[in-house]
Amino acid sequence: MRSEELHETLLPKRLALPIFASDPLSSVAYATQEILLVLTLGGLAYLHFTPWIAIGVVVLLAVVVLSYRQVVRAYPTGGGSYEVVSTNLGPSAGLLVAASLLVDYVMTVAVSIASGVDNIISAVPELAGHRVLSALSFVALLTAANLRGVRESGRAFAVPTYLFTGGVLLMVVTGLIQYAGGNPPLAQTARYGVTPEPGTTGLAGVALAMLVLRAFSSGCTALTGVEAISNGVPAFRVPKARNAAATLAAMGALALAMFAGVTALALLAHVHVATDSCRLTGLKGDCHAYTQRTVIAQLAAAVLGGEHSVGFYVIQAATALVLILAANTAFNGFPLLASLLAHHRYLPRQLHNRGDRLAFSNGILALAVVAGLLLWGFRANVTSLIHLYILGVFTAFTLSQLGMVRHWNRELRATHDTRARRRHHRARAVNSVGSVVTGLVLVIVLATKFTQGAWLAVLAVLVLWVMMRGIRRHYDTTAAELAVTDPRYELTLPSRVLALVLVSRVHKPTLRALAYARAFRADRLEALTVAVDRGEAAELERQWEEYGIGVPLKVLDSPYREVTRPVLDHVRSIRRESPRDVVAVFIPEYVVGHWWENLLHNQSALWLKSRLMFTPGVMVISVPWQLTSSARAAARPAGRAPGSVRRGEPGNRVAGHH
């Protein structure tokens, strides 16, 4: 696609919702389950805390959605939390947010796909032995879809997202009607008890509070992905800010209704789950061979007619699809944020490149590789991965809300209109509440999940933060080094130019290099060869005289059979004798058509070139000779890695100029 076609990839709200909000919408499939898994560590005695924990999550989600609507309106150029924090709290804090979000996007892919595979296994238990392979296959599928471009992936993902949303809401309403009519749904595991883990019975005081807070922090996975819309505002159709805010509101309303409904229905249907199936009491047969169904699967079976009903399979299929496609939120957010960071010189410039389909292809591929390694390393286990989750997103939530408070303070100092000031006061109040609440949740998440694996996420954020500062320092140092200080001095011509043509034998590539060096019109021209074998060197000198080439041939002795060192020593001696002269070294090279031919040719030339590059005042010039195989390769269609030879268009950046 041409760069001018970028406007054709902009999203209407109906496509933006499944693309940017599939993560928070789909998280209802495992958020309730994660709360129950923590509470059942103490058996069934603490399940009565579930409604209060759910209320806390609902209130928190509402506060965060309202807060991010302020972000979207105040910073419609994209960048979300990163831009808000960088502008208002400084670049170091902004970089911390960016590192946190990058880690969280990777975890979104890993957790969503692992959870989706869990739901597939709930419907088809025979696939349990292929969990990792299935997860990696879905990563590859999502990568391919996103490399096709944002709009195409939106069309592909819209149907499963809307099917899941409608299916879950229908299931919740149906279950509540059954309960109100005196025929409450009953989960498959309602007849099972749960054996408490050692040391978790009779908890009180601080120990009980820590268990409840840990369950609350696990339930906060329902908030992951909320910030993606604020990062992706440039992808919306105009008016961008209004459409993004409307999509954010729709996402919040749907996520609230679905999470509250699933949690209520799970309690009414007496769903019992445990971290280890052998802790379920009353289970018949081998507990190790028993595959626990997810909360959504148990509810679908209880409400919609059993585990072999059409409704059950529809809900499971939609849930599995939307969980896998929820990773698409990260596949859109990660490349956008990485592109912005690359534009600001905190990440390699290649991440700012757009590919054939105007997608940030290098960012998509980087995300796929890291998420795939995580899934492989953790065996696609949701319980193991979930401990690394949500830390990054709540770091971004808290700092962005603090940044927005400072933003409104600045606006209030600059505004004297009464109506505008009233509006700014309301917005500041919303963001103030948001910063306090999300800050408390961040402390809870750190306190309850750090030893369970969250320390890995903290370490990853710190490593990324240090790495990005180092990349920026390198780019700044390089820019300062390359800046023109005195144009007249920089344009000063060398005193003389000495041309050296490297010769291994007298053949067509050598003669072409000599002809080109002559056309160069250097002040002095000489051919250079290394006498690794005295007999071959003598034969070369004889042919040189026989052909009457007319260019002096200098033979360098090499008693230790080296090629590179004698050439380097000779070039450096010329530079020492005449520091103001420039040495131009012409190297004949073969151009081949197959990768394996490179292993057979050009090895000495490549090594010599790499060493000569480090010598000041030396220019290395490759003179190509196309072998027959290269002509056949040139006739084939050019293959290019996505984004490898393109750059992000300045007019299409995801944030304002900095």
Side-chain angles (χ1 to χ4, degrees), residues 449-616:
K449 288 184 175 290
F450 190 82
T451 56
Q452 272 76 40
W455 66 270
L456 279 172
V458 174
L459 180 63
V461 168
L462 291 176
V463 168
L464 261 178
W465 186 79
V466 172
M467 183 188 75
M468 289 192 289
R469 286 176 63 91
I471 290 172
R472 175 60 186 262
R473 191 182 307 114
H474 168 77
Y475 277 132
D476 287 348
T477 303
T478 303
E481 185 178 337
L482 300 180
V484 177
T485 53
D486 185 352
R488 289 175 299 179
Y489 174 76
E490 306 292 346
L491 291 171
T492 302
L493 295 177
S495 299
R496 292 183 307 165
V497 176
L498 169 61
L500 298 177
V501 179
L502 299 188
V503 177
S504 59
R505 61 178 59 89
V506 179
H507 52 15
K508 290 179 180 179
T510 297
L511 298 180
R512 174 178 288 183
L514 284 167
Y516 183 68
R518 278 175 169 155
F520 200 66
R521 300 189 184 280
D523 295 285
R524 197 174 95 205
L525 171 64
E526 73 177 20
L528 194 66
T529 190
V530 179
V532 175
D533 183 292
R534 290 305 309 172
E536 290 181 0
E539 176 61 19
L540 175 63
E541 289 180 286
R542 187 192 65 77
Q543 289 181 342
W544 201 263
E545 292 296 329
E546 179 184 337
Y547 292 148
I549 293 174
V551 174
L553 175 65
K554 186 174 184 63
V555 180
L556 301 177
D557 190 34
S558 180
Y560 297 101
R561 299 162 303 285
E562 289 184 287
V563 174
T564 304
R565 185 180 295 276
V567 173
L568 285 173
D569 290 343
H570 180 67
V571 170
R572 287 168 180 166
S573 68
I574 294 172
R575 288 285 301 151
R576 281 194 298 271
E577 292 170 7
S578 305
R580 297 182 60 189
D581 292 354
V582 167
V583 180
V585 181
F586 294 80
I587 303 178
E589 284 189 54
Y590 302 125
V591 178
V592 298
H594 305 99
W595 64 269
W596 53 266
E597 289 180 284
N598 280 310
L599 301 176
L600 307 177
H601 304 287
N602 297 327
Q603 296 306 307
S604 297
L606 287 172
W607 181 247
L608 188 56
K609 276 200 299 185
S610 66
R611 297 296 303 275
L612 286 169
M613 291 289 188
F614 288 97
T615 308

Side-chain angles (χ1 to χ4, degrees), residues 88-332:
N88 296 288
L89 300 181
S92 293
L95 212 55
L96 178 62
V97 166
S100 301
L101 286 175
L102 290 175
V103 170
D104 191 69
Y105 281 137
V106 172
M107 294 310 307
T108 295
V109 175
V111 171
S112 296
I113 288 181
S115 184
V117 170
D118 268 359
N119 277 273
I120 293 174
I121 292 171
S122 291
V124 189
E126 293 78 11
L127 294 175
H130 305 286
R131 183 186 301 272
V132 176
L133 179 61
S134 301
L136 295 177
S137 300
F138 285 124
V139 171
L141 182 65
L142 280 174
T143 303
N146 277 278
L147 289 174
R148 290 292 301 162
V150 172
R151 192 178 180 89
E152 284 77 359
S153 63
R155 289 196 184 99
F157 302 159
V159 173
T161 304
Y162 287 126
L163 179 63
F164 170 76
T165 304
V168 169
L169 290 175
L170 178 63
M171 180 184 72
V172 168
V173 171
T174 303
L176 293 177
I177 290 173
Q178 290 174 354
Y179 181 82
N183 184 29
L186 197 64
Q188 172 196 7
T189 54
R191 63 182 183 273
Y192 301 148
V194 180
T195 303
E197 286 198 347
T200 58
T201 54
L203 295 179
V206 175
L208 179 59
M210 289 300 292
L211 181 70
V212 173
L213 289 175
R214 182 177 166 189
F216 172 71
S217 66
S218 293
C220 286
T221 53
L223 279 77
T224 55
V226 171
E227 80 291 339
I229 290 177
S230 67
N231 290 333
V233 178
F236 283 80
R237 285 182 179 173
V238 292
K240 294 178 183 289
R242 185 187 302 172
N243 287 336
T247 305
L248 194 55
M251 179 272 294
L254 289 171
L256 285 171
M258 292 164 66
F259 172 73
V262 168
T263 305
L265 203 57
L267 292 174
L268 297 175
H270 301 287
V271 173
H272 296 157
V273 289
T275 52
D276 182 356
S277 57
C278 288
R279 289 178 45 232
L280 295 173
T281 59
L283 190 64
K284 295 179 181 179
D286 183 8
C287 63
H288 296 288
Y290 178 73
T291 301
Q292 292 187 79
R293 282 196 165 96
T294 61
V295 168
I296 288 287
Q298 293 190 47
L299 292 178
V303 173
L304 301 176
E307 60 189 42
H308 298 296
S309 65
V310 174
F312 170 79
Y313 283 110
V314 169
I315 291 292
Q316 284 309 102
T319 303
L321 271 175
V322 80
L323 277 166
I324 291 165
L325 300 182
N328 195 59
T329 299
F331 271 102
N332 283 279

